[in-house]
């Protein structure tokens, strides 16, 4: 059985039983009180009659005397100890005279049914003619009380039935109210399973009941799952982007080694050094990407004083070898910068990769000093970009012309994150059709090796 039906049936049943119990207790209490008061009245009346009879001269006692006391809805009977009785019944109650009777010694009150009609019977002792104690029994019909109770029975029955109807409806509304968020939760879960997309449940912001809290918790969980999923996706795309250049460098050096390694001692040493350094860089890179995937925005930066020119020289040589592209390095002075070597190299690779992809001429790397800053320019004479295109190049997955690039549009957004992490500034200037200059602006090291 569905939860909504269960709630519906159980609540309706429970309240119906309660209503019936209340009606029954109202009826029985009322009937008890009514009959008690009738009995009390009959007893008082019987006592009054007995007192009246006792005041009479004993010789004049007769049925005529009793007739004076007989109530319109009943009968008076005086029963002697030997069983003889004098009975006087009202005109409409002649049947009562035929009913069986009994001698009571003391006072007695009870309700008796004659012909399905309840009657109040009160017996009180009375002095009979010869001084003997007889029992005066006054019987009064309780037909009006009985019919009142019948009306009450009917009213309670109708009220109970009438109350069950709205009860039935409100139980349905209640069960729907409770199960609605559960149903929408289930629907959303099924939608997620079917489409593979992350969806949230719509909640009414005003009410903050337990069901809303459940929906909120579900939504929070979905947001977290989505964020984790995106982070994983980002990890995969970042990893493949960042491993591209080091892998190409390793590939080109190892193929050189395969061809000429054992003949050229200098080349052998250079290749091994490059492969070793790239492998080291890749290991650091993967560790960092893993770290980034786990917790957002936490780059593991290790800054130190680095002789810039030798770093640029080795990077440029590796790049030239890997892509068979000429890179001119122009640096007039030996400069030391205080930065993270691995990340600066990554940054250079990203910029040189773009210069290589979007130009066919030689690429140039310049180092300039400007007051307290050191500027590294990566210059190409390629296709360039318009000012409008330049505005978006740092957006993730943005590409001016997708058909031209075999990449993902991730390089520059990653470059900017890297630059921020090492405290450098990244600037791009470009002229459409003429070329592009990408500049890394670094702070001077305190200790300059001039
Ligand atoms: P990926 O770097 O992921 O392999 P990508 O090179 O297309 O792909 P980005 O490096 O972020 O991505 O560059 C974004 C876009 O900016 C490129 O698609 C390209 O259109 C433009 N762009 C970047 N550098 C240059 C450049 N030196 N010359 C001309 N256009 C460039
Ligand atoms: Mg790129």
């Amino acid at each position: 059985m569905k939860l909504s039906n269960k709630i519906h049936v159980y609540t309706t049943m429970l309240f119906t039983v309660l209503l019936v119990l209340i009606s029954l207790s109202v009826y029985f209490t009322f009937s008890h009180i009514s009959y008690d008061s009738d009995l009390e009245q009959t007893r008082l009346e019987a006592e009054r009659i007995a007192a009246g009879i006792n005041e009479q001269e004993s010789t004049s006692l007769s049925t005529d005397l009793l007739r004076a006391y007989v109530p319109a809805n009943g009968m008076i009977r005086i029963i002697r100890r030997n069983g003889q009785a004098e009975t006087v019944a009202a005109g409409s109650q002649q049947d009562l005279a035929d009913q069986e009777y009994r001698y009571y010694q003391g006072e007695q009150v009870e309700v008796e049914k004659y012909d399905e009609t309840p009657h109040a019977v009160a017996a009180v002792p009375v002095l009979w003619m010869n001084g003997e104690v007889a029992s005066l029994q006054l019987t009064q019909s309780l037909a009006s009380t009985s019919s009142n109770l019948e009306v009450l029975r009917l009213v309670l029955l109708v009220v109970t039935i009438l109350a069950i109807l709205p009860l039935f409806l409100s139980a349905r509304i209640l069960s729907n109210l409770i199960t609605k968020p559960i149903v929408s939760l289930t629907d959303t879960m099924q939608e997620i399973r079917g489409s593979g997309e992350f969806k949230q449940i719509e909640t009414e912001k005003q009410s903050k009941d337990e069901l809303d809290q459940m929906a909120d918790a579900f939504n929070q969980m979905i947001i977290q799952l989505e964020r984790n999923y995106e982070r994983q996706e980002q990890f995969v795309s970042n990893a493949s982007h960042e491993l591209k250049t080091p892998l190409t460098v390793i590939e080109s050096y190892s193929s050189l080694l395969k061809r000429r390694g054992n003949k050229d001692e200098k080349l052998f040493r250079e290749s091994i050094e490059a492969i070793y350094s790239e492998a080291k860089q890749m290991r650091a890179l993967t560790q960092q990407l893993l770290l980034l995937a786990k917790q957002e925005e936490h780059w593991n930066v290790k800054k130190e004083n680095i002789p810039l020119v030798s770093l640029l020289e080795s990077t440029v040589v590796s790049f030239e070898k890997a892509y068979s592209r000429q890179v001119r390095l122009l640096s007039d002075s030996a400069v030391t910068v205080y930065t993270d070597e691995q990340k600066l190299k990554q940054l250079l690779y990203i910029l040189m990769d773009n210069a290589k992809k979007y130009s066919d001429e030689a690429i140039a790397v310049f180092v300039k000093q400007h007051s307290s800053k050191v500027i590294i320019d990566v210059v190409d004479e390629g296709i360039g970009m318009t000012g409008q295109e330049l505005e978006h190049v740092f957006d993730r997955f943005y590409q001016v012309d997708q058909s031209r690039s075999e990449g993902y549009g991730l390089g520059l957004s990653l470059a900017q994150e890297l630059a921020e992490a090492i405290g450098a500034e990244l600037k791009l200037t470009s002229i459409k059709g003429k070329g592009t200059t990408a500049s890394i602006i670094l702070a001077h090291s305190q200790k300059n090796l001039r």
Side-chain angles (χ1 to χ4, degrees):
M1 189 154 57
K2 278 170 112 182
L3 181 63
S4 62
N5 291 345
K6 267 189 210 166
I7 296 171
H8 189 196
V9 169
Y10 292 153
T11 3
T12 314
M13 254 167 44
L14 180 75
F15 279 98
T16 308
V17 169
L18 269 177
L19 261 176
V20 170
L21 283 179
I22 289 169
S23 298
L24 286 177
S25 61
V26 165
Y27 175 77
F28 283 113
T29 311
F30 188 77
S31 96
H32 197 73
I33 291 170
S34 300
Y35 282 134
D36 273 1
S37 104
D38 284 346
L39 279 176
E40 182 61 12
Q41 254 176 13
T42 309
R43 190 183 65 80
L44 289 174
E45 183 67 14
E47 272 176 4
R48 195 179 62 79
I49 295 169
I53 289 171
N54 286 342
E55 276 170 22
Q56 298 295 319
E57 280 293 315
S58 56
T59 45
S60 62
L61 267 178
S62 68
T63 46
D64 289 340
L65 176 68
L66 293 182
R67 212 172 292 282
Y69 290 109
V70 73
N73 61 345
M75 122 189 129
I76 300 180
R77 177 178 271 155
I78 293 185
I79 305 159
R80 293 175 62 194
R81 203 183 282 269
N82 60 10
Q84 276 184 339
E86 294 288 335
T87 306
V88 179
S92 59
Q93 306 283 330
Q94 287 306 319
D95 289 352
L96 287 178
D98 305 332
Q99 300 294 337
E100 273 182 19
Y101 56 84
R102 203 146 69 79
Y103 174 82
Y104 292 106
Q105 222 160 20
E107 262 192 26
Q108 181 82 25
V109 281
E110 62 190 1
V111 174
E112 298 235 354
K113 266 194 173 171
Y114 302 129
D115 284 342
E116 296 302 309
T117 312
H119 286 76
V121 180
V124 290
V126 69
L127 276 178
W128 196 234
M129 286 177 285
N130 48 5
E132 104 178 66
V133 177
S135 170
L136 180 137
Q137 292 183 9
L138 176 64
T139 306
Q140 276 184 309
S141 161
L142 299 179
S144 70
T145 306
S146 162
S147 80
N148 282 350
L149 286 174
E150 205 165 303
V151 171
L152 179 68
R153 261 204 308 273
L154 201 74
V155 167
L156 286 176
L157 186 74
V158 170
V159 165
T160 307
I161 291 171
L162 283 183
I164 287 172
L165 207 74
L167 191 75
F168 184 83
L169 291 177
S170 59
R172 172 55 54 201
I173 294 169
L174 177 78
S175 66
N176 282 351
L177 206 74
I178 293 173
T179 50
K180 199 177 134 214
I182 301 174
V183 169
S184 95
L185 184 81
T186 319
D187 286 349
T188 313
M189 280 176 179
Q190 255 153 10
E191 252 178 74
I192 291 173
R193 212 183 50 171
S195 67
E197 273 175 32
F198 295 99
K199 270 197 78 176
Q200 291 182 34
I201 301 174
E202 279 176 31
T203 53
E204 286 167 26
K205 287 283 169 274
Q206 309 96 309
S207 75
K208 271 278 150 264
D209 56 22
E210 287 82 351
L211 290 166
D212 263 303
Q213 283 171 4
M214 183 181 76
D216 267 351
F218 176 83
N219 287 346
Q220 293 298 330
M221 187 188 74
I222 284 293
I223 292 172
Q224 203 171 345
L225 278 177
E226 194 172 7
R227 206 178 294 148
N228 284 350
Y229 180 77
E230 276 168 8
R231 222 179 280 166
Q232 277 184 20
E233 261 191 344
Q234 190 165 351
F235 169 75
V236 173
S237 51
N238 283 358
S240 56
H241 186 275
E242 291 303 87
L243 292 174
K244 196 170 54 182
T245 308
L247 278 172
T248 316
V249 170
I250 289 174
E251 191 189 354
S252 72
Y253 271 111
S254 47
S255 92
L256 259 178
L257 274 180
K258 243 166 87 178
R259 279 185 278 127
R260 300 192 278 126
N262 47 3
K263 290 173 210 139
D264 189 337
E265 174 85 8
K266 189 169 162 269
L267 178 74
F268 178 80
R269 231 176 280 130
E270 186 191 324
S271 305
I272 290 292
E273 197 49 52
I275 289 172
Y276 174 69
S277 123
E278 291 304 321
K280 241 172 62 178
Q281 164 125 2
M282 266 165 45
R283 176 206 274 271
L285 200 71
T286 43
Q287 269 170 359
Q288 187 160 68
L289 286 169
L290 276 170
L291 203 75
L292 263 181
K294 269 193 225 135
Q295 57 207 83
E296 283 166 297
E297 300 304 322
H298 184 86
W299 295 90
N300 195 10
V301 179
K302 276 196 208 113
K303 283 188 178 179
E304 53 198 332
N305 285 320
I306 292 156
L308 186 61
V309 179
S310 68
L311 169 82
L312 288 176
E313 266 168 4
S314 72
T315 312
V316 161
V317 170
S318 296
F319 193 84
E320 278 185 322
K321 287 263 164 47
Y323 294 105
S324 318
R325 281 289 294 269
Q326 206 194 332
V327 182
R328 283 189 298 138
L329 178 62
L330 281 164
S331 161
D332 55 350
S333 53
V335 190
T336 302
V337 284
Y338 183 68
T339 191
D340 183 310
E341 187 181 355
Q342 301 282 358
K343 286 181 189 60
L344 183 59
K345 203 169 163 187
Q346 254 174 279
L347 201 48
L348 282 165
Y349 272 153
I350 293 173
L351 300 181
M352 283 175 6
D353 180 61
N354 280 352
K356 168 211 88 182
K357 273 200 294 191
Y358 306 111
S359 75
D360 300 318
E361 307 297 318
I363 301 159
V365 177
F366 298 107
V367 179
K368 292 186 288 188
Q369 292 193 65
H370 204 275
S371 61
S372 62
K373 307 271 178 206
V374 180
I375 304 165
I376 309 165
D377 283 340
V378 179
V379 184
D380 68 72
E381 289 164 28
I383 59 170
M385 283 173 281
T386 64
Q388 226 182 359
E389 287 158 6
L390 255 183
E391 280 175 26
H392 299 287
V393 287
F394 294 113
D395 298 346
R396 269 177 87 77
F397 301 110
Y398 173 80
Q399 294 184 299
V400 174
D401 180 3
Q402 266 169 343
S403 60
R404 244 198 91 99
S405 168
E406 71 269 28
Y408 306 101
L410 282 174
L412 287 177
S413 77
L414 254 168
Q416 193 159 48
E417 281 178 43
L418 276 169
E420 258 171 45
I422 60 172
E425 207 183 319
L426 190 62
K427 264 196 187 148
L428 240 73
T429 50
S430 188
I431 299 170
K432 190 87 182 169
K434 287 256 181 216
T436 306
T437 301
S439 316
I440 306 168
I441 304 161
L442 289 162
H444 236 288
S445 159
Q446 316 297 54
K447 197 176 80 182
N448 203 340
L449 301 178
R450 216 173 240 279

